[in-house]
Amino acid sequence: MREVTIEIWSSKPREHDAYTRYERDTLLVEISKTYNTESGNRAMSFARQFVKAMRRNGELENREVVTISVAN
């Protein structure tokens, strides 16, 4: 079983020469999920699918930064 932590941050734009980069600003939500797998790569894949589903359902905005970490 692998524990995955998904952090959702608000972002602020930082202007560079020819592009804009969005950086983390304030932590909005922290979600902990446990997946029934021993593979860290599979757990990361499941977490990415979860985040994509949240974006499709309108629960996340494109401006929000998502950080996913898998516990050892």
Side-chain angles (χ1 to χ4, degrees), residues 1-71:
M1 306 262 300
R2 288 287 183 147
E3 178 90 17
V4 176
T5 304
I6 302 169
E7 297 175 341
I8 301 170
W9 298 77
S10 66
S11 64
K12 61 181 178 180
R14 173 88 34 130
E15 298 292 330
H16 292 278
D17 293 333
Y19 60 92
T20 301
R21 181 176 179 181
Y22 290 89
E23 298 177 350
R24 297 186 294 192
D25 187 28
T26 307
L27 181 64
L28 300 174
V29 178
E30 184 173 330
I31 302 168
S32 293
K33 296 186 72 63
T34 303
Y35 293 107
N36 190 17
T37 183
E38 292 301 320
S39 170
N41 290 337
R42 271 183 77 79
M44 181 66 77
S45 176
F46 290 144
R48 285 188 191 128
Q49 290 173 12
F50 178 75
V51 169
K52 283 182 183 179
M54 289 178 70
R55 287 199 194 278
R56 270 194 311 265
N57 294 335
E59 298 173 33
L60 288 179
E61 296 180 15
N62 285 336
R63 291 176 289 154
E64 295 174 337
V65 178
V66 177
T67 304
I68 302 172
S69 59
V70 178

